[in-house]
Amino acid sequence: MKLAAIPILMYHQVTPAPLGIFRKYSVLPDKFAAQMRWLSLAGYRSLTMEDLLRFRQDQGQGHRPLPGRSVIITFDDGYEDCLKYAVPVLEKYHFTAIFYIPTALVGQSSLWLKKEKGIDLPIFDWSAAQDLLSVGFEIGSHSVSHKKLAFLSIEECRQELTESKQVLEEKLGCPVHHLAYPYGSFNNQVKEIAAEAGYKSACTVEIGLSPLDEDLLALHRVPVLGQDYLFDFICRLTRARPLGELLQGKMASMFQQLQR
Ligand SMILES: [Zn+2]
């Protein structure tokens, strides 16, 4: 029997004032609200990463199928704007989400973007992270300092993954099992180090729905981008890509067939 696949949505920033250079990763609040409204109307139920782990374990024992329309909502980097513009909307529709945060930058800002793009976006603080946890959201690791893990030495990579997990657990007072690789940078060695550090799931930025038999330390995600219209979002839920890309792919394969 073919296993189902679920969309693990990847957001970064939700803000009414996107900065030009980061516009692709910034979703306007009204667009975000329309997307969540659509999920609710279409009967989607949001799962936590812990739910996904439980379903995967139960699936091995042959019981408890995943509910029909499931979605996981993720936010990378911990941008402060998400507290004001995403969290109330999620709560309105009874959706949960996981926020992946770089522990050395909590309460500060996106220093890596300052170096790369000259922009600096505020990251929420520990008290906000605790508040999110207390109302049913999840917090995951996004490493210590948001570096490309696949390009670090084994020692540096281990430090980024173990220290961030320890700090999160100390500050939040609960176990932390979930990771998103900064920039989606990972390889087999990074995965091994993540497993040794005690992570049970890790999200990449590989685009696709996440099949229920996929490697838990290399989960595909579905990006939701600033330029997406609602019909793109609806397309992404089942095909991972926006309408234009799907049509382009279809046209290209038709063209190839005609040339044969
Ligand atoms: Zn990131």
Side-chain angles (χ1 to χ4, degrees):
M1 195 181 75
K2 196 170 177 289
L3 286 166
I6 60 168
I8 302 179
L9 302 179
M10 175 176 66
Y11 289 94
H12 285 78
Q13 199 191 23
V14 177
T15 180
L19 292 175
I21 207 152
F22 204 62
R23 192 171 287 271
K24 183 176 174 187
Y25 300 104
S26 306
V27 175
L28 292 170
D30 58 345
K31 281 193 174 186
F32 182 74
Q35 291 163 1
M36 295 303 109
R37 184 164 181 267
W38 169 265
L39 286 181
S40 176
L41 288 173
Y44 276 88
R45 193 192 122 173
S46 74
L47 303 181
T48 59
M49 276 291 168
E50 285 294 312
D51 289 332
L52 180 67
L53 288 186
R54 263 193 302 277
F55 281 118
R56 289 285 296 262
Q57 283 159 4
D58 290 353
Q59 182 185 295
Q61 293 160 13
H63 46 87
R64 280 233 301 180
L66 204 64
R69 289 195 156 183
S70 296
V71 64
I72 296 177
I73 303 169
T74 72
F75 289 85
D76 284 15
D77 304 339
Y79 295 119
E80 206 171 68
D81 280 341
C82 293
L83 300 178
K84 190 169 174 190
Y85 298 106
V87 169
V89 181
L90 291 164
E91 288 182 316
K92 176 178 172 187
Y93 293 108
H94 307 289
F95 290 141
T96 186
I98 182 163
F99 293 83
Y100 294 110
I101 54 178
T103 51
L105 304 174
V106 171
Q108 298 182 49
S109 62
S110 57
L111 293 182
W112 72 96
L113 286 176
K114 198 171 184 179
K115 284 183 202 148
E116 288 166 20
K117 299 181 191 288
I119 57 170
D120 205 12
L121 304 173
I123 291 177
F124 57 68
D125 60 16
W126 286 112
S127 116
Q130 283 157 354
D131 289 348
L132 287 170
L133 203 62
S134 71
V135 293
F137 292 98
E138 288 180 305
I139 303 290
S141 164
H142 202 37
S143 79
V144 172
S145 57
H146 206 284
K147 293 197 179 101
K148 289 182 179 164
L149 298 175
F151 295 89
L152 300 181
S153 68
I154 294 179
E155 290 71 29
E156 282 175 305
C157 178
R158 187 171 289 130
Q159 189 251 333
E160 285 282 333
L161 295 182
T162 52
E163 187 185 312
S164 57
K165 188 170 186 293
Q166 278 165 7
V167 170
L168 283 168
E169 291 179 344
E170 274 169 32
K171 296 278 187 186
L172 301 174
C174 67
V176 170
H177 298 140
H178 310 291
L179 164 73
Y181 303 114
Y183 305 94
S185 167
F186 79 105
N187 54 25
N188 283 338
Q189 192 171 66
V190 173
K191 270 194 338 188
E192 274 171 33
I193 296 170
E196 278 167 25
Y199 291 103
K200 294 182 176 162
S201 86
C203 279
T204 69
V205 297
E206 306 285 322
I207 298 178
L209 300 185
S210 172
L212 290 178
D213 59 352
E214 133 166 284
D215 182 351
L216 277 167
L217 291 176
L219 296 170
H220 281 75
R221 283 194 288 181
V222 175
V224 184
L225 302 180
Q227 68 265 29
D228 287 350
Y229 291 102
L230 185 60
F231 54 77
D232 292 316
F233 177 77
I234 295 168
C235 258
R236 285 187 186 276
L237 289 171
T238 52
R239 311 294 283 273
R241 298 194 181 264
L243 188 61
E245 266 181 51
L246 290 175
L247 289 175
Q248 266 174 17
K250 198 107 186 148
M251 298 270 279
S253 75
M254 277 166 65
F255 189 64
Q256 276 171 2
Q257 277 175 2
L258 283 173
Q259 284 188 319
R260 272 182 204 151

